[in-house]
Amino acid sequence: AQSVSQHNHHVILSEAASLELGCNYSYGGTVNLFWYVQYPGQHLQLLLKYFSGDPLVKGIKGFEAEFIKSKFSFNLRKPSVQWSDTAEYFCAVKETDKLIFGTGTRLQVFP
Amino acid sequence: GAVVSQHPSWVICKSGTSVKIECRSLDFQATTMFWYRQFPKKSLMLMATSNEGSKATYEQGVEKDKFLINHASLTLSTLTVTSAHPEDSSFYICSARELGQGLVYTFGSGTRLTVV
C-alpha cells in the first residue's frame, strides 16, 4: 500500500520568506498527487493536484509543486509567504479510489 | 463549487452512548464517500469507503461494528459511533467524490467528538 511522508512537521517563517514543504510517496508507477490546506477551524481545501503532463503544477494562492518521479517526491513551494498562509498542509496520494494522507505540516507565518 | 456539509461540528457524549455524524453533499451527487479520523499531530487516517447502496469497505484495524456507516442516498452518508468510549474522542472528517469526477474530493468541515 502507498504511504506518504512529510518530513517537516512544524515550520515557522517570517512574511516574505520562501517556503518549501517536502512530500515523498512510497512507490512508483502512475500516481495522482495532491496538496491540501486546512486553515484553523476550516475544512480541507485543495491547493493543487498532479495527474499527468507538466511535472510543475501551479495551484491557488501562488503555490506550486514539482513532481519528481525519480525521487518519489512532490514538494510544495511558494516564493513569498504571507501571514494568511498560516495553516496545516497535507500531501496525499490517490490509491485506487481513496486518498492516503501524510502526517501534515503545520506552517506558522509571523508578520 | 461543490460543498460537503457535515453535522454536528462538535458533540460531547457520555461513555456507552452512540453518536451519529451526518455528511451531506450539496448540489452534487456523491457516489463515493470517505470517512477519516484525524488524531492530534497525526495524519488523516482513512476509516472506510462507502458507496451508495452498498456496504462500506473498512480499512484494516477499524471495527465495523463500532463505526457503522450508512450511505443510503447519493447525497447522504452517516457514521455512527456505537457504545462510545473516551478513546473514540477524535476529529472525524468526511469526504465526497462526485459522480464522474474521479479526481475531485470535497471535504466536510469535520466533527469534534468528545466522549466523557
Side-chain angles (χ1 to χ4, degrees):
Chain A
Q2 278 278 15
S3 64
V4 178
S5 297
Q6 290 183 246
H7 308 294
N8 317 102
H9 299 294
H10 189 188
V11 173
I12 302 173
L13 295 173
S14 298
E15 275 193 320
S18 63
L19 170 72
E20 179 160 3
L21 301 182
C23 172
N24 289 90
Y25 57 96
S26 56
Y27 65 85
T30 302
V31 287
N32 300 133
L33 296 156
F34 304 76
W35 274 99
Y36 284 88
V37 60
Q38 187 178 31
Y39 297 105
Q42 296 189 27
H43 62 277
L44 282 161
Q45 299 174 41
L46 180 67
L47 275 177
L48 48 82
K49 63 186 176 187
Y50 170 81
F51 51 96
S52 66
D54 190 344
L56 186 61
V57 181
K58 303 285 187 185
I60 61 171
K61 305 185 186 223
F63 286 92
E64 66 178 29
E66 185 175 11
F67 170 57
I68 303 180
K69 191 172 182 177
S70 61
K71 294 185 177 180
F72 297 86
S73 70
F74 189 56
N75 292 356
L76 181 71
R77 299 195 292 249
K78 185 171 184 177
S80 177
V81 295
Q82 300 173 314
W83 175 78
S84 57
D85 293 324
T86 294
E88 191 89 22
Y89 292 80
F90 293 93
C91 181
V93 62
K94 182 173 177 280
E95 181 176 69
T96 57
D97 62 346
K98 58 193 178 187
L99 293 183
I100 307 299
F101 284 87
T103 50
T105 297
R106 184 181 175 206
L107 172 65
Q108 280 185 293
V109 180
F110 289 96
Chain B
V3 175
V4 170
S5 174
Q6 188 173 342
H7 290 284
S9 56
W10 61 270
V11 58
I12 301 173
C13 71
K14 291 184 177 181
S15 286
T17 61
S18 296
V19 173
K20 181 184 284 188
I21 302 169
E22 289 189 350
C23 181
R24 292 182 184 273
S25 57
L26 306 181
D27 301 327
F28 73 97
Q29 293 183 325
T31 48
T32 307
M33 287 189 173
F34 307 88
W35 287 94
Y36 291 85
R37 183 173 175 176
Q38 187 176 26
F39 296 92
K41 301 186 188 299
K42 296 273 187 181
S43 174
L44 283 78
M45 303 299 295
L46 180 66
M47 299 173 67
T49 302
S50 72
N51 291 292
E52 185 263 339
S54 60
K55 288 185 179 180
T57 302
Y58 289 82
E59 295 298 302
Q60 193 173 11
V62 178
E63 298 175 63
K64 61 181 180 182
D65 294 329
K66 179 167 189 60
F67 298 100
L68 300 178
I69 292 171
N70 183 280
H71 192 164
S73 77
L74 284 172
T75 59
L76 174 65
S77 177
T78 61
L79 167 67
T80 301
V81 183
T82 62
S83 187
H85 290 283
E87 56 265 31
D88 299 325
S89 298
S90 193
F91 195 60
Y92 295 87
I93 302 174
C94 72
S95 172
R97 195 174 67 190
E98 187 175 355
L99 178 65
Q101 300 292 318
L103 289 177
V104 179
Y105 297 80
T106 305
F107 288 81
S109 53
T111 298
R112 170 72 60 192
L113 169 64
T114 302
V115 184
V116 297

